[in-house]
Each structure stands twice: as structure tokens, then as C-alpha cells.
Amino acid sequence: MIKATFRSKESYQTLLNRYFDDPNISMDAAGMLAYLLGRPIGGLIDHDDLLIAKSDSKKHTLALIRELEKAGYLEVTQSDDGGIQYIFREVPLKSRKGGQKS
């Protein structure tokens, strides 16, 4: 049995269980999604900052990004300055296989 207690005065966030329960993504990908969705709304995260934010390798981090994109939690677009923009979502829009997610 696991019992959670909250004694910290540090900031924290409330998360949807949806992505932790989603069988289409790994626990690592769900953790990355939780980390990213915990950033300030509208805040920008530089691609290089994302790669060094945690101790994961660049290869592993990029694999998680692809996994989230395939599951519909991430949309990759081109920004106005020609760079890559990642838009992360709490609820997946659709899977890359074409079916709508609920």
C-alpha cells in the first residue's frame, strides 16, 4: 500500500490521471508530459533546455517526444521565426494512425 502525504509548502500542481493511465504511452513519456505541462502557461521551453533539463540522454528524450507526438499529446509546428515549436496537450487530439482520441 502506498500512502501519500503532503507537508510541503513548495509549489505543486494537480494533474490529470488520463496520461498516466493511457496505455498508448510509457511511464517515461507520461512523466515528461507532466513535467512540461507543469511549466507556466504560455511559457516557452527552449529545445536545448529540454534536452538538458533531466539526466536522460538526448536520444531517449527525442524518443519520448516522438512517442508523445504519435499518441496525440504533442503537435509539432513551425514557428514564425522558422524554428520548431512543440505544443503539448493534456488530452490527446488524435493519434497519428488517424483515429480520434476521446
Side-chain angles (χ1 to χ4, degrees):
M1 175 190 283
I2 299 173
K3 181 178 179 182
T5 60
F6 300 95
R7 297 174 192 234
S8 176
K9 295 187 187 224
E10 300 285 329
S11 65
Y12 63 93
Q13 64 189 26
T14 302
L15 304 170
L16 291 175
N17 287 332
R18 174 185 298 256
Y19 41 90
F20 290 109
D21 295 336
D22 188 338
N24 297 308
I25 61 173
S26 67
M27 188 58 77
D28 282 352
M32 174 182 265
L33 185 59
Y35 170 77
L36 292 166
L37 291 173
R39 306 300 91 197
I41 294 175
L44 299 176
I45 300 171
D46 183 81
H47 187 263
D48 291 335
D49 290 341
L50 178 59
L51 294 175
I52 62 172
K54 299 293 178 190
S55 62
D56 293 340
S57 71
K58 180 178 180 178
K59 182 178 178 180
H60 183 67
T61 300
L62 293 174
L64 293 175
I65 289 171
R66 285 190 300 276
E67 182 180 345
L68 291 170
E69 181 182 14
K70 182 178 178 182
Y73 289 98
L74 165 63
E75 180 182 359
V76 181
T77 62
Q78 190 167 10
S79 64
D80 294 335
D81 64 0
I84 297 172
Q85 180 176 1
Y86 299 106
I87 301 170
F88 290 90
R89 305 182 186 288
E90 284 184 307
V91 178
L93 288 180
K94 60 179 180 171
S95 70
R96 298 280 316 287
K97 296 176 185 173
Q100 287 291 332
K101 291 280 214 168
S102 54

